[in-house]
Amino acid sequence: AIEALKNNKYINYLKMRVGYSTSANFPDPYSTRAALTIGTQAFNTSGGTNINYNALSSFLPNPKLKPELLNEKEVGIEGKFLNSRLSLDLTFYQKTANDQILRRDLDPSTGFSATQINAGQVENKGIELGLGYTIIRNKKFNWDINTNFTLNRNKAYDFPDEIQQIGLAGYSDLGLFAFPNQPLGMIYGSRVLRDPNKGNQPVVGTDGNYLVDPTLGILGDSNPDFQLTGITNFSYKRLSFRMQWDYSRGGDMFAMT
């Protein structure tokens, strides 16, 4: 404790923190060793004989597959001020996921359809800020306001040459994807054909409809610039009322009919 801050009306609580953590994500069972699928009484012959079978999976196990390693560094400060009416919680963080477990498609001539490999790195870094203030505080009535601000930036790195895009959600021709040196969750799919010689204007066909670009491309970024939440709480004796607002700035959406 700092002697100069004892019984201080303006700074009631102050804490600084530094943290480092590490953890792992493990692959699904039987991703590193081959296993037989056993089926009993799969069907009956006309003579009433039960047919059982053993079968190998079309997925090729990888004995060299390793867990994903997750590392996180964090620096923050917490404080309460003005007779604990004002509160602050500020955090800076950086999270890194190494040796991502990725699906790699195989040529059917190998006898397998896919396997899993370790490749790629994903980094998340950002700011989390929480502020609160108690406007009224007495024996019968309390009114406080709290707000949370979140800003996160992420990016994927170090993709292998044979994997230049990874589907996260949706379909192969429309959905959320990861690309090298791009944020996670890029919207990728069919798009309108545009003419670069006319200010990138959409190209209209003879029937009056937009023409579709024959190649798929990135349509937008689904990640918001930042998110903001505001909460106010009124309480009178045993009766309380809580209201919450959520605001998200940026982030592209795709919709079609």
Side-chain angles (χ1 to χ4, degrees):
I2 302 174
E3 291 293 332
L5 296 180
K6 286 186 176 181
N7 300 319
N8 191 304
K9 294 182 180 180
Y10 304 102
I11 304 177
N12 310 110
Y13 174 80
L14 190 63
K15 174 184 177 181
M16 298 187 67
R17 62 179 185 271
V18 177
Y20 176 80
S21 63
T22 180
S23 59
N25 284 333
F26 294 91
D28 295 331
Y30 309 111
S31 295
T32 60
R33 293 291 185 271
L36 284 173
T37 300
I38 301 175
T40 60
Q41 298 183 359
F43 59 92
N44 296 327
T45 65
S46 58
T49 302
N50 291 326
I51 302 299
N52 305 323
Y53 70 89
N54 294 331
L56 284 172
S57 170
S58 62
F59 183 85
L60 177 64
N62 181 0
K64 297 182 179 180
L65 192 65
K66 300 180 294 184
E68 295 180 3
L69 296 180
L70 310 176
N71 300 311
E72 180 175 358
K73 293 175 283 186
E74 180 180 299
V75 176
I77 183 171
E78 299 175 42
K80 292 184 179 182
F81 312 93
L82 306 177
N83 289 325
S84 297
R85 285 182 176 270
L86 177 65
S87 62
L88 166 72
D89 190 343
L90 176 63
T91 302
F92 299 89
Y93 65 87
Q94 181 182 28
K95 303 176 183 179
T96 305
N98 299 298
D99 293 328
Q100 295 279 292
I101 298 176
L102 305 179
R103 176 188 172 93
R104 178 184 177 185
D105 293 328
L106 299 176
D107 191 312
S109 63
T110 62
F112 298 93
S113 60
T115 187
Q116 287 182 318
I117 62 173
N118 290 110
Q121 174 180 314
V122 177
E123 180 186 68
N124 282 271
K125 55 184 178 181
I127 302 171
E128 295 178 349
L129 173 63
L131 287 174
Y133 186 71
T134 301
I135 301 173
I136 300 175
R137 181 176 59 195
N138 55 46
K139 292 182 179 180
K140 294 183 179 180
F141 184 71
N142 286 281
W143 178 19
D144 57 66
I145 296 176
N146 294 278
T147 182
N148 294 298
F149 172 83
T150 304
L151 183 149
N152 183 76
R153 298 289 182 265
N154 61 58
K155 190 170 285 188
Y157 303 93
D158 300 334
F159 280 36
D161 293 336
E162 64 270 22
I163 300 178
Q164 289 302 300
Q165 64 184 53
I166 301 172
L168 305 176
Y171 305 95
S172 60
D173 59 350
L174 179 62
L176 300 181
F177 283 75
F179 295 94
N181 302 314
Q182 294 279 358
L184 292 177
M186 301 298 290
I187 304 174
Y188 178 79
S190 300
R191 53 186 175 174
V192 174
L193 183 65
R194 297 179 179 271
D195 189 346
N197 299 320
K198 295 183 179 180
N200 210 32
Q201 291 294 319
V203 178
V204 180
T206 56
D207 58 357
N209 294 318
Y210 291 131
L211 298 182
V212 178
D213 194 320
T215 60
L216 302 178
I218 294 177
L219 305 177
D221 183 359
S222 65
N223 296 285
D225 297 332
F226 65 85
Q227 293 177 300
L228 188 64
T229 299
I231 302 173
T232 184
N233 187 73
F234 304 88
S235 63
Y236 177 74
K237 294 184 177 180
R238 296 184 179 181
L239 179 66
S240 64
F241 173 77
R242 186 178 186 271
M243 188 170 8
Q244 177 172 326
W245 298 270
D246 292 298
Y247 174 75
S248 181
R249 171 71 180 272
D252 297 318
M253 299 179 65
F254 181 88
M256 62 183 298
T257 57

